[in-house]
Amino acid sequence: MFKLLLVAVLVGCAYSCGVPYYEPIMSRVVGGEDVRPHSWPWQISLQYSSGDRWGHTCGGTLIATNWVLTAAHCISNSRTYRVALGKHNLLEEEAGSVIIAAEKIIVHEKWSSLFIINDIALVKLAEHVELSDTIQPSCLPANEALLPNDYPCFVTGWGRLYTNGPIAENLQQALLPVVDHATCTQRDWWGSQVKPTMVCAGGDGVVSGCNGDSGGPLNCHGDNGTWEVHGVVSFGSGLSCNYAKKPTVFTRVSAYINWINEKIASN
């Protein structure tokens, strides 16, 4: 159903999901690096109002012209949100970027902050965004798709450059290979804290997601060569962002395809 919906909103333009106009430079740099500008055109900045200012709080993924995927833990009922699309540098005015208010936010009904489960939310934009070379949606993975151990994926975001460090100005990317469920649930890894509805990536003690990356995508190439959002940044080690055997844990998007379809169709 979702693919039909997505086709409907993309008809009449030259852009399709998961195919960036500017191809990302996929070097295997340790520790992350600035991305090629606009090479992850579905990456958004979720921002909240604080007085007369707006601040970046989380990442997210454009999955249709008026829907963004993010993490439930990014959302507070007391805050007003907007979405910045087509951004590379958060501090600069940039051609090709737009800001749209959040019309509606749907947090998973069974989200638990205590157990950090069902950490997923949808943001409906107040208007459809016009797709361009700087703004395009990511594809969703197939329902219940699982990636093999060591499958190469990339995390992207404006999170802290290192533990307790500054928030990045330019969008960052880092290679994070998938850690399969059997490995990630071992006692000296994450153990029983990781559920089947989650996917782990990284854990080498060098590269990871960090504060501010929350809600952003785990970008993985699909079988047909398009990029798919396989994960939503959920949590990591409290000891440090890049603690060995404590890979970044993502909400596994393929476990929530039916939920995403249902919420988009009914809203």
Side-chain angles (χ1 to χ4, degrees):
M1 182 194 300
F2 180 79
K3 288 185 177 177
L4 293 177
L5 287 171
L6 191 57
V7 167
V9 298
L10 298 183
V11 163
C13 72
Y15 303 101
S16 59
C17 75
V19 184
Y21 185 86
Y22 304 101
E23 281 291 326
I25 299 170
M26 293 179 288
S27 62
R28 301 193 169 219
V29 171
V30 171
E33 61 181 334
D34 284 11
V35 308
R36 180 185 185 186
H38 311 300
S39 57
W40 306 101
W42 40 84
Q43 173 81 46
I44 65 92
S45 168
L46 183 67
Q47 303 178 351
Y48 67 97
S49 62
S50 178
D52 59 351
R53 296 186 175 186
W54 290 86
H56 169 84
T57 184
C58 278
T61 308
L62 186 71
I63 58 170
T65 53
N66 64 333
W67 286 98
V68 162
L69 189 64
T70 190
H73 80 262
C74 291
I75 305 302
S76 168
N77 291 333
S78 63
R79 285 180 169 174
T80 300
Y81 294 95
R82 70 181 191 179
V83 172
L85 306 102
K87 293 295 293 177
H88 176 66
N89 184 299
L90 287 182
L91 301 182
E92 296 179 357
E93 294 285 333
E94 295 175 309
S97 67
V98 297
I99 292 173
I100 301 179
E103 177 183 299
K104 188 173 189 177
I105 298 179
I106 303 168
V107 173
H108 197 284
E109 302 83 355
K110 295 183 179 179
W111 153 240
S112 168
S113 59
L114 178 62
F115 298 106
I116 322 180
I117 55 174
N118 301 308
D119 189 8
I120 193 168
L122 285 165
V123 180
K124 185 178 184 181
L125 304 181
E127 59 188 271
H128 287 270
V129 65
E130 183 176 346
L131 301 183
S132 66
D133 59 345
T134 60
I135 301 172
Q136 296 165 242
S138 179
C139 298
L140 290 175
N143 188 38
E144 294 297 344
L146 295 175
L147 296 174
N149 194 58
D150 215 31
Y151 193 91
C153 297
F154 287 81
V155 64
T156 50
W158 288 279
R160 297 189 187 278
L161 295 172
Y162 48 86
T163 305
N164 299 322
I167 292 287
E169 293 181 12
N170 294 330
L171 185 63
Q172 302 287 298
Q173 68 180 41
L175 176 70
L176 280 194
V178 168
V179 178
D180 65 17
H181 189 70
T183 302
C184 202
T185 53
Q186 292 179 18
R187 282 193 297 176
D188 58 336
W189 287 66
W190 277 110
S192 61
Q193 192 168 345
V194 166
K195 310 302 181 188
T197 54
M198 303 172 185
V199 60
C200 303
D204 63 358
V206 179
V207 181
S208 71
C210 203
N211 310 81
D213 288 327
S214 289
L218 182 66
N219 304 284
C220 311
H221 253 144
D223 291 338
N224 61 356
T226 59
W227 288 99
E228 300 173 345
V229 53
H230 274 262
V232 174
V233 177
S234 182
F235 65 89
S237 172
L239 299 173
S240 74
C241 289
N242 51 349
Y243 203 75
K245 293 190 176 182
K246 291 294 182 284
T248 305
V249 181
F250 300 78
T251 303
R252 179 168 63 82
V253 175
S254 64
Y256 293 91
I257 298 299
N258 291 337
W259 181 83
I260 293 169
N261 286 341
E262 176 192 334
K263 297 306 175 187
I264 290 179
S266 60
N267 287 280

